[in-house]
Amino acid sequence: MLGLVVSVSMQSPVDDASFGNVNLASSDTLNILPSCELRERETCSDKFLDTMAPHPVVQAIIDLSAGAIGGAACVFSGQPLDTAKVKMQTFPTLYRGFIHCVVSTYKQVGLRGLYQGTTPALMANIAENSVLFMSYGFCQQVIRFTAGLHSEAVLSDMQKACAGSVASIFSSLVLCPTELVKCRLQAMYEMEASGRIAKSQNTVWSVVKSIMRNEGPLGFFQGLTTTIAREVPGYFCFFGAYELCRTAFADYLKCDKDDIGVAPIVFSGGFGGACLWLVVYPMDCVKSRIQVMSMMGKQAGFLKTFMTIARSEGVRALYSGLTPTMVRTFPANGALFLGYEASRKLMMKQFDS
């Protein structure tokens, strides 16, 4: 260090001048390089924050909360059409079609009749979608592990479809009891009018008490086998079609899948819902029939009920109520995924900050 100072002090004026120029140039370079390096470090840091996954417990809470918000949005946007679907599934010969069912219900019970079962539907959808999306995130990690992928690796659309299919098994366990109460409330007027059951209070609590008194706790799981048989293939199609549709929009718009915008997300959710119902609708019809008719006593299982409907009422009866379901699927499932994606993105941003 001392030798360097001495050698610089002994240089000629010309050398000093050129050294000064070099110093000036070096100084400029040094002033530029740190700022470039700083920007690069900031960019790298931002990328790290964007890709850094939260703690598994935090991630599970985010997925659960986002699923609950999406489930609530789904109910509020499609409940009247769901009521029409259940009525037509349970009493296929009573209504000429979707419009006749809606108009008849409005004339008989009023607007309240179309929103019959909203409370259990809200409970069912919030519970189902909370568990579904929380399990969906967990099942994605299981698929990464079994495929030997890194914990942050991006899964293919088909791998995500498989994760959704497995996750639906867990959501079925919370969906079945709440959907049982909802279906019974929705078909209560027709059951009483046909004389199959005595008139009673049409409230959530009265239905819950009736199930507990007549069937015990296991009575809440009437139709569980059918629910799982519906959900597993249904949610493979649901998540698969949703992710494929989002990928197509991202390729067309030349952007990331998370940045495709509101309208493409709503359409993708509706498309996923349409694929789900087209595949599993007959099973859903059998499930509704089992859950409603079990009010009169012990009801036959899935296969026997399926064969009875097909033989006595024809295959067409298994698709009764499909029209309101398909009309409902775009606003309801579009709202479901929009609520889920928007709230999840917001919560992830809060975590990153």
Side-chain angles (χ1 to χ4, degrees):
M1 181 72 178
L2 182 60
L4 179 61
V5 172
V6 171
S7 64
V8 169
S9 63
M10 292 177 66
Q11 284 177 338
S12 65
V14 177
D15 290 338
D16 285 338
S18 37
F19 184 77
N21 290 336
V22 172
N23 268 345
L24 181 60
S26 322
S27 175
D28 289 341
T29 307
L30 287 171
N31 285 336
I32 292 167
L33 284 176
S35 62
C36 290
E37 189 178 345
L38 183 60
R39 282 197 297 272
E40 187 179 344
R41 282 180 183 173
E42 286 174 351
T43 306
C44 292
S45 176
D46 290 340
K47 285 180 181 175
F48 178 73
L49 281 174
D50 288 340
T51 58
M52 184 177 64
H55 189 276
V57 174
V58 176
Q59 184 66 66
I61 292 170
I62 288 173
D63 288 336
L64 188 142
S65 304
I69 292 168
C74 179
V75 172
F76 288 125
S77 59
Q79 181 62 17
L81 295 169
D82 183 69
T83 299
K85 179 202 76 156
V86 172
K87 287 176 180 289
M88 292 178 71
Q89 285 177 328
T90 312
F91 303 97
T93 58
L94 194 60
Y95 300 105
R96 292 192 300 271
F98 158 52
I99 301 296
H100 181 231
C101 179
V102 172
V103 172
S104 298
T105 302
Y106 180 75
K107 284 180 179 177
Q108 292 159 356
V109 194
L111 187 63
R112 182 176 59 86
L114 292 169
Y115 282 91
Q116 195 74 267
T118 298
T119 302
L122 202 56
M123 292 167 60
N125 273 270
I126 288 176
E128 179 197 15
N129 288 294
S130 297
V131 175
L132 176 68
F133 283 104
M134 184 178 70
S135 303
Y136 180 53
F138 173 74
C139 290
Q140 285 185 7
Q141 291 296 346
V142 172
I143 286 176
R144 288 188 183 99
F145 177 77
T146 53
L149 300 172
H150 186 263
S151 61
E152 299 304 319
V154 177
L155 296 178
S156 69
D157 294 338
M158 285 300 100
Q159 286 173 323
K160 287 182 178 180
C162 291
S165 181
V166 176
S168 69
I169 298 172
F170 300 101
S171 64
S172 297
L173 298 173
V174 295
L175 173 66
C176 187
T178 48
E179 196 157 81
L180 174 75
V181 176
K182 173 188 77 74
C183 287
R184 288 190 177 184
L185 275 171
Q186 288 173 323
M188 188 74 76
Y189 178 85
E190 287 79 3
M191 291 293 284
E192 291 175 349
S194 62
R196 298 184 186 186
I197 61 168
K199 286 194 175 183
S200 60
Q201 285 185 312
N202 296 345
T203 63
V204 175
W205 182 235
S206 66
V207 173
V208 170
K209 283 195 299 184
S210 173
I211 294 169
M212 283 295 294
R213 183 174 59 251
N214 299 324
E215 303 164 54
L218 289 178
F220 287 101
F221 292 92
Q222 286 273 7
L224 177 61
T225 304
T226 316
T227 302
I228 293 173
R230 179 194 72 174
E231 300 289 272
V232 171
Y235 276 100
F236 178 85
C237 298
F238 188 54
F239 282 102
Y242 172 69
E243 292 296 343
L244 284 169
C245 201
R246 279 211 310 159
T247 300
F249 273 116
D251 291 342
Y252 178 76
L253 298 171
K254 294 179 173 55
C255 65
D256 189 73
K257 283 171 75 172
D258 293 332
D259 301 321
I260 57 175
V262 172
I265 287 176
V266 171
F267 181 84
S268 299
F271 181 68
C275 291
L276 180 150
W277 286 115
L278 285 171
V279 170
V280 305
Y281 196 81
M283 286 179 278
D284 184 70
C285 183
V286 174
K287 178 200 71 69
S288 295
R289 192 74 67 95
I290 290 171
Q291 290 182 324
V292 172
M293 294 304 179
S294 60
M295 294 167 72
M296 300 185 297
K298 189 169 177 61
Q299 178 66 18
F302 168 65
L303 282 176
K304 194 170 181 181
T305 304
F306 180 88
M307 294 305 295
T308 301
I309 295 170
R311 275 200 302 263
S312 60
E313 302 172 43
V315 176
R316 190 175 177 181
L318 293 167
Y319 288 91
S320 183
L322 182 61
T323 303
T325 301
M326 296 307 290
V327 172
R328 169 184 172 268
T329 192
F330 274 87
N333 290 294
L336 165 66
F337 273 109
L338 181 61
Y340 169 75
E341 296 286 359
S343 56
R344 186 178 184 276
K345 197 171 183 179
L346 182 65
M347 285 185 277
M348 291 293 282
K349 276 185 179 177
Q350 292 297 319
F351 170 79
D352 286 345
S353 61

